[in-house]
Amino acid sequence: MRFLASAITATMVLALGVSPSPAVAQEQAPAPPQAAPSDAEITSEIVILHATNDGKGIDPKIGKMPELGKPPFSAYNSYKLLERLKVSLQKGKPTTTKLPNGSVLMVSLKDVVAAKKKDEPRRFVVSASIQKPGGTTFLPLLEVNAKAGENFFVAGQQHMGGVLVIGIKVAP
């Protein structure tokens, strides 16, 4: 397993040898390979939507999100963008976001899975959970193996006559 901190430390702490005589040459061991930045940290986009059946349609600020027109999301005829966040996910360090209904969304990068075939993309194991105000758990733990650029959703929390729909997209 490669550790980014070790690789950075090993690369940055190179001792420069000084020869006592010009005739003596010193060899430096090659620096260990560094972990790719996306193996330790990735960017993720979180969209927080309010789904209702008030007949207003899909908020144009949401952009292209074809999943909203398919079940189970097609059960709602209106979606409003409440918030769009860019967050940095570091491997093993959860990022928290307060939701409009007072709950807290926790998202974490668990692992980066190398492609099994040459033409397949890497996959990102991302976990998400939602804690209601007062400490009770709405969503104990959802773990998704996602491709970059692909949304996955967490939905179902009641909010102002509708439900919250949270889209999470990995964008390394």
Side-chain angles (χ1 to χ4, degrees):
M1 186 190 308
R2 300 179 303 186
F3 294 97
L4 182 59
S6 298
I8 290 172
T9 303
T11 302
M12 294 179 73
V13 183
L14 291 176
L16 298 174
V18 179
S19 300
S21 130
V24 177
Q26 289 190 344
E27 292 183 28
Q28 289 184 2
Q34 288 189 5
S38 61
D39 286 350
E41 184 174 2
I42 61 171
T43 300
S44 180
E45 180 181 75
I46 298 173
V47 292
I48 302 170
L49 309 175
H50 184 222
T52 62
N53 280 315
D54 64 9
K56 293 183 181 177
I58 296 176
D59 184 345
K61 291 184 232 170
I62 293 171
K64 187 176 180 181
M65 200 172 281
E67 299 90 347
L68 299 180
K70 299 175 186 170
F73 305 107
S74 60
Y76 297 94
N77 61 26
S78 300
Y79 283 89
K80 180 180 179 184
L81 177 66
L82 299 180
E83 195 167 1
R84 183 183 309 269
L85 306 163
K86 292 271 187 199
V87 297
S88 177
L89 299 179
Q90 292 182 332
K91 198 169 180 179
K93 293 184 180 178
T95 298
T96 60
T97 302
K98 188 163 185 173
L99 299 175
N101 65 355
S103 295
V104 176
L105 170 69
M106 186 169 60
V107 181
S108 180
L109 173 64
K110 303 285 271 183
D111 200 6
V112 179
V113 180
K116 293 182 183 188
K117 295 181 183 175
K118 185 179 178 179
D119 58 340
E120 288 181 347
R122 289 181 303 165
R123 309 236 359 137
F124 301 88
V125 181
V126 177
S127 68
S129 65
I130 297 175
Q131 200 78 30
K132 287 183 181 180
T136 58
T137 303
F138 171 76
L139 176 69
L141 181 65
L142 167 70
E143 198 167 277
V144 177
N145 189 331
K147 287 191 306 191
E150 195 174 73
N151 284 306
F152 69 91
F153 296 89
V154 179
Q157 288 194 25
Q158 299 299 310
H159 182 65
M160 298 177 64
V163 297
L164 291 178
V165 174
I166 302 155
I168 302 169
K169 178 170 47 175
V170 174

